Every structure is written in C-alpha cells, then in structure tokens.
Amino acid sequence: MENRRPFISGNWKMFKTGPEAVEAAGKISMIVADVLSDIDVMIAPTFTALAPVADKLEDSPVLIGAQNLFWESEGAYTGEISAEMIASAGCECVIIGHSERRQYFNETDESVNKKIKAAISSKLIPIMCIGETESEREEEKTFSVLDKQIKKGLEGLPSEELKSLIIAYEPVWAIGTGKTATSDQAQEVHKYIRSLLENIYDADFAGSVRILYGGSVKPNNVAELMERKDIDGALVGGASLDPETFSKIVHYK
Ligand code: PEP
C-alpha cells in the first residue's frame, strides 16, 4: 500500500545570518507544531546556521537540511563540507543537485551520484533535485532530461540503499520566477518519474518514494498541487523565508 507522508520543506538558499535563521526557525517550529504529527517539515539554512538552528530545534520534530555537501569524508578540500560534518551539526537531510548548483557551480549528474552515496553513508535523507530548463521543455525534451538525471544520479544504488530517498521535481523555468507549473503539468511529470522508478527498480519502491514539487510554490497554489496523486510535498524557496508565509504553505489542508 502506498503510504507517503507529506513533506514540506524550505530552502533558505543564501539568505539569513545565524541569528536570523535561529529566530525564524524558532518561530516556524512553534507555528507549525500542530501539524507535525501528520506532515514532515524541513528547513534548510546556510551551513553556518546549521548548528545553532539544530540547538534551537533540539526538542522540535522540524527537520533540518543542508543545501549541499561534498562526497569525500575528509581531506584537503578547502571550502567543502562532508556528509558526516553535516550530520554531526544536527541535520537529518541534505538537498543535492539543486538547479542553482547545477547552473552556477558545475554540479553534474555524476557529482550528484557521488553526493547521494555520501549522504546515504552518513544516514542523511537525500533530496535529489531534478528538472528541465525552459528551452528543454519547449523542445519536448522534459522526459529525456529527467530520465538521464535520474538514471545517472542513482547509478549503482540498489533500492535497499534508497529507502529514505526523496526526489524534488523542480522545473528550472519555475524556480524563483513566479511561474508555477500547473498542477496538471506537475502531476504528469511526477507520474512519469514514478513510472521510471518502477522500470529501474520495482512497483513497491516506486510507490514508496516521496516526490516533491518545487518552483514558485506559494500559499495560494500549494493546495491544488498537493491534491494530486503523485505530488507528495513541496520544496519551497522564496516563500519559505518568512515564517508566517511558510506556515500557510505547511497548513495547506
Ligand atoms: C527552490 O529554491 O528550490 C525553489 C523552488 O525556489 P522558489 O520557491 O523561490 O521558486
């Protein structure tokens, strides 16, 4: 039986200092507390805010995610941070392969694959981001782009190792643009992703993976998206920065 707990997450990108993140995290944990028995809620502050936010949320079920990691466990890699370091800072989750990282920091499907493996080794929940650009959609390449991102991103990983995997479908043309995919467009792609997982693995695994939608999710469009069969949650950027707005998204029902 398919039993996927809704997962609403906020990606704070490069916003908020440590004290600002702690304040916002504290507010969020209070105002979403009433739904946490039914919904997983995650926030992803910047690296420097992870440990103080984790301290603040010590007694809260709100999950904490990092926005990236490096796949080596330690070494001479100036400026990088490992999965183990992220976990020991108090994170349960990590966003991998966000389109901004693919666009500005040369993230590739190969690096995504290594990062997912590292996350799993440190028992972090990997949130693998995939999505097509506007021109790829116009050229009707959406499914082939997602095919490649998923197959390469998960290469060499058996389903037993991917029990916690979360996939975030984030059409690049909808991120930070105010253009949301319609719920029909998103559902069509989520269904495709699930069928692809079934082809690569099996129906049980495909039915268990949570697939989030991301791209200009706001309080006024989240409910329609969440009603769709294959949409299990949201990865929210801009609208997650303000606790009240994020709370409205979390309270989508
Ligand atoms: C994101 O950062 O993953 C995102 C979807 O951003 P926004 O909600 O601002 O489009």
Side-chain angles (χ1 to χ4, degrees), residues 11-13 95 98-100 129 170-171 174-179 213-218 235-240:
N11 170 19
W12 287 353
K13 313 193 188 208
I95 298 170
H98 191 281
S99 66
E100 286 153 14
C129 301
E170 301 207 297
I175 297 182
T177 58
K179 284 190 212 169
Y213 169 77
S216 299
V217 174
K218 308 275 183 245
L235 181 52
V236 185
S240 70

Side-chain angles (χ1 to χ4, degrees), residues 203-238:
D204 274 357
F205 177 71
S208 72
V209 174
R210 288 182 287 183
I211 308 176
L212 318 182
Y213 169 77
S216 299
V217 174
K218 308 275 183 245
N220 65 2
N221 57 26
V222 62
E224 192 187 333
L225 289 159
M226 289 300 291
E227 264 170 23
R228 305 306 295 258
K229 184 171 181 289
D230 291 294
I231 302 181
D232 307 309
L235 181 52
V236 185

Side-chain angles (χ1 to χ4, degrees), residues 8-206:
I8 306 285
S9 48
N11 170 19
W12 287 353
K13 313 193 188 208
M14 199 174 74
F15 291 101
K16 297 189 193 294
T17 61
E20 287 166 351
V22 167
E23 193 190 336
K27 269 193 202 156
I28 287 171
S29 70
M30 281 193 299
I31 58 183
V32 305
D34 58 321
V35 295
L36 294 174
S37 51
D38 299 324
I39 296 178
D40 287 334
V41 174
M42 183 206 83
I43 49 173
T46 58
F47 284 144
T48 52
L50 292 176
V53 167
D55 276 351
K56 179 77 181 175
L57 299 189
E58 205 185 343
D59 299 321
S60 165
V62 169
L63 301 165
I64 303 168
Q67 299 173 18
N68 182 32
L69 55 67
F70 185 55
W71 57 81
E72 294 291 348
S73 53
E74 61 178 9
Y77 303 106
T78 303
E80 294 298 331
I81 179 160
S82 72
E84 196 186 326
M85 291 165 188
I86 285 166
S88 85
C91 287
E92 293 91 358
C93 311
V94 58
I95 298 170
I96 295 175
H98 191 281
S99 66
E100 286 153 14
R101 296 213 55 85
R102 293 179 190 255
Q103 190 178 348
Y104 305 125
F105 303 101
N106 303 319
E107 193 88 79
T108 62
D109 294 326
E110 288 71 24
S111 59
V112 166
N113 181 254
K114 289 183 188 169
K115 290 180 180 193
I116 291 177
K117 288 176 177 161
I120 289 165
S121 304
S122 289
K123 302 200 165 27
L124 289 166
I125 298 171
I127 302 174
M128 178 172 83
C129 301
I130 55 173
E132 81 287 2
T133 62
E134 188 150 40
S135 59
E136 287 164 345
R137 177 163 277 262
E138 278 162 7
E139 290 163 30
E140 297 184 359
K141 290 185 184 154
T142 300
F143 292 157
S144 64
V145 167
L146 297 176
D147 236 88
K148 179 170 162 284
Q149 290 175 336
I150 290 180
K151 286 185 179 148
K152 289 203 174 264
L154 300 181
E155 202 165 85
L157 283 159
S159 58
E160 307 80 70
E161 288 184 32
L162 291 173
K163 288 206 164 85
S164 69
L165 175 73
I166 293 178
I167 293 180
Y169 168 58
E170 301 207 297
V172 179
W173 48 271
I175 297 182
T177 58
K179 284 190 212 169
T180 321
T182 63
S183 70
D184 282 348
Q185 282 173 321
Q187 167 58 26
E188 181 192 27
V189 173
H190 282 227
K191 190 174 167 198
Y192 176 77
I193 293 168
R194 214 175 288 290
S195 68
L196 191 59
L197 293 174
E198 185 172 340
N199 287 343
I200 305 172
Y201 296 100
D202 57 44
D204 274 357
F205 177 71

